[in-house]
Amino acid sequence: MDDDWEDIKVNRRKGDKVRFESNLLQQISDRIDFLRDESREILRGIDTKEFKKNLDEFDMEEFGESTLNQISDIADDLSQFKSEMFDSEDVPDFVKESSINAKRALNRDVDYVRRAKRRLDRIDSDESVDVYKTNLRVIDLCDKAIEVNRKNPEAYCLKGIALVNLEKYDEAIEEFINSLALDDNPDIRLKIADANRLNKDFNDAINVYNSVLDVREFEALKGKAYTYYDWQKYGQANMHFRKAASIEELDDESQKIFDECLEKFN
């Protein structure tokens, strides 16, 4: 372990800032610098007349979420660095096992799941996010949660979502099935059906959608409509879109596909 720490060299750069040769440590340091500089700017601007004048227009929720995301990223990078050091071959197995037992006692799987979920949420809300790397990190966090607690259904589910995002549908379905075995949730069945549809296993997708018709009728009908559309069975797609629309208003994307089905069918 001492040798590993000696490999982390530090170089000076302008402004008395520190540059690390470790890319991960440098990334953490840069994010801390960013938060510090941003905080200074905010504090300087808070007492200005312009700020007070525009206070009602200030989106505090968005500001808070952005700051929280930055802090979360720093914490996650530090955790990743610690894990890389701790997983070194130089660390005895009994020490690693002791660490896992401690994490179980502290329910750390819940923390890993929370961080994975936050990262998935940012894929849709933050255009600057690296989608590929983020999904890989979600999978890593879920694996850590599963290592601590193999009976956490949400860890398998979130891992499945990330695998779908990476178009690894067969692997995703396996994770969804693992989640379903722990919690027979119709929403997980819908995710399995969606993954089958995206994987072009249309018969399997229809069968799974049918299994949740009684409890998730609108979502199942819409899923079947999309499946028949991808299957180029536009008459069936049209019928199921119509049934779904009779229960609940379709979203814009679904309505657009529905209109296209009507054109092709007529």
Side-chain angles (χ1 to χ4, degrees), residues 43 58 72 75 79-80 95 105 107-108 111 113 121 139 155 158 167 173 178-179 187 191 194 213 231 239-240 249 259:
L43 289 172
F58 186 73
S72 177
S79 174
Q80 186 177 358
V95 175
N107 295 320
R108 285 298 303 277
D111 181 52
V113 165
D121 289 342
I139 291 169
L158 294 176
E167 299 183 2
I173 289 169
N178 287 335
S179 179
D187 292 331
K191 293 185 186 304
D194 291 342
L213 263 174
W231 209 347
M239 180 182 70
H240 284 86
E249 185 178 358
D259 293 340

Side-chain angles (χ1 to χ4, degrees), residues 6 18 73 88 136 154 157 213 259:
E6 288 174 2
V18 176
D73 286 347
S88 166
L136 288 181
E154 194 171 8
C157 178
L213 263 174
D259 293 340

Side-chain angles (χ1 to χ4, degrees), residues 16-165:
D16 289 328
K17 292 185 177 180
V18 176
R19 176 174 289 281
F20 296 91
E21 291 193 358
S22 164
N23 289 332
L24 183 55
L25 282 181
Q26 188 61 54
Q27 185 178 9
I28 294 168
S29 176
D30 288 342
R31 283 178 176 165
I32 292 173
D33 288 345
F34 171 79
L35 279 177
R36 183 197 60 211
D37 294 341
E38 284 291 296
S39 298
R40 286 175 179 169
E41 288 296 321
I42 290 166
L43 289 172
R44 277 197 292 266
I46 265 178
D47 198 37
T48 65
K49 291 181 179 179
E50 184 181 357
F51 178 83
K52 292 174 181 177
K53 180 180 178 182
N54 297 317
L55 186 59
D56 290 340
E57 300 175 11
F58 186 73
D59 191 341
M60 186 61 74
E61 183 177 347
E62 182 179 345
F63 167 74
E65 184 69 19
S66 175
T67 303
L68 189 59
N69 285 336
Q70 288 286 340
I71 294 171
S72 177
D73 286 347
I74 292 170
D76 194 46
D77 287 339
L78 283 168
S79 174
Q80 186 177 358
F81 172 74
K82 183 179 71 175
S83 295
E84 288 174 1
M85 295 295 296
F86 195 79
D87 288 340
S88 166
E89 293 181 359
D90 294 334
V91 179
D93 289 340
F94 77 88
V95 175
K96 295 179 183 178
E97 184 61 33
S98 176
S99 173
I100 292 172
N101 290 335
K103 290 175 181 177
R104 286 196 187 106
L106 294 170
N107 295 320
R108 285 298 303 277
D109 59 303
V110 176
D111 181 52
Y112 289 130
V113 165
R114 177 185 56 78
R115 285 156 55 189
K117 191 173 182 180
R118 174 176 287 278
R119 288 198 167 240
L120 278 177
D121 289 342
R122 288 183 63 192
I123 290 176
D124 296 326
S125 62
D126 189 345
E127 294 181 357
S128 65
V129 167
D130 185 321
V131 175
Y132 179 75
K133 287 184 179 179
T134 298
N135 281 299
L136 288 181
R137 182 56 179 154
V138 168
I139 291 169
D140 179 54
L141 287 167
C142 290
D143 282 340
K144 291 179 184 299
I146 292 165
E147 183 180 36
V148 173
N149 180 10
R150 295 187 176 277
K151 294 185 177 181
N152 188 320
E154 194 171 8
Y156 294 105
C157 178
L158 294 176
K159 183 178 179 182
I161 293 172
L163 287 165
V164 167
N165 291 341

